[in-house]
């Protein structure tokens, strides 16, 4: 299987949780401290950390430490690449996999 499909499958898996989708929506407005994200959910800090680790591991989110808090932002380049991949696999094209099997 092509590596681009394997990597993007991990992104889709990361996006399969409604909390993580909500977090990405929040981060679309800019950098947020974990404490601000946590205020919007009925989850514990360790659960938030779990969600953020998944989003960071697939490259959709970047983190930086400031004192005892972690601040998160979208990795706009990775998000753009994912959008382009999704557009590519959902658009009719000459180099479609179905054409390569003929």
């Amino acid at each position: 299987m092509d590596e681009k499909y394997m990597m993007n499958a991990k992104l889709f898996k990361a996006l399969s949780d409604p909390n993580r989708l909500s977090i990405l929506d929040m981060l679309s407005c800019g950098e947020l401290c974990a404490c601000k994200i946590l205020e919007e959910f009925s989850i514990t800090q360790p659960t938030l950390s779990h969600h953020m680790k998944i989003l960071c591991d697939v490259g959709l989110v970047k983190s930086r430490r400031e004192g005892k808090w972690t601040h998160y932002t979208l990795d706009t380049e990775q998000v753009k690449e994912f959008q382009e991949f999704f557009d590519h696999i959902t658009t009719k094209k000459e180099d479609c996999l179905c054409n390569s099997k003929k």
Side-chain angles (χ1 to χ4, degrees):
M1 178 75 41
D2 192 325
E3 188 165 324
K4 69 181 173 191
Y5 293 109
M6 296 298 288
M7 181 57 200
N8 283 288
K10 292 176 186 177
L11 290 170
F12 279 107
K13 186 173 180 179
L15 297 176
S16 68
D17 182 277
N19 286 327
R20 290 193 285 270
L21 288 173
S22 297
I23 291 166
L24 290 177
D25 193 6
M26 292 175 68
L27 293 176
S28 71
C29 296
E31 182 180 79
L32 288 173
C33 174
C35 60
K36 292 294 181 192
I37 298 170
L38 197 55
E39 289 173 2
E40 297 298 318
F41 296 94
S42 298
I43 59 174
T44 64
Q45 187 280 324
T47 300
L48 176 64
S49 292
H50 171 75
H51 287 307
M52 299 314 297
K53 179 177 180 351
I54 290 169
L55 292 171
C56 289
D57 285 351
V58 297
L60 291 172
V61 172
K62 296 186 285 189
S63 67
R64 69 174 182 84
R65 297 280 299 174
E66 187 175 294
K68 69 176 187 169
W69 293 108
T70 303
H71 295 259
Y72 296 98
T73 57
L74 288 179
D75 184 331
T76 54
E77 186 60 34
Q78 181 66 34
V79 169
K80 182 181 175 198
E81 287 178 22
F82 180 64
Q83 288 170 330
E84 289 171 357
F85 172 79
F86 188 74
D87 287 344
H88 181 76
I89 65 170
T90 58
T91 305
K92 187 175 181 174
K93 59 210 162 284
E94 289 296 319
D95 66 340
C96 183
L97 285 176
C98 62
N99 292 331
S100 67
K101 302 292 182 194
K102 296 178 182 176

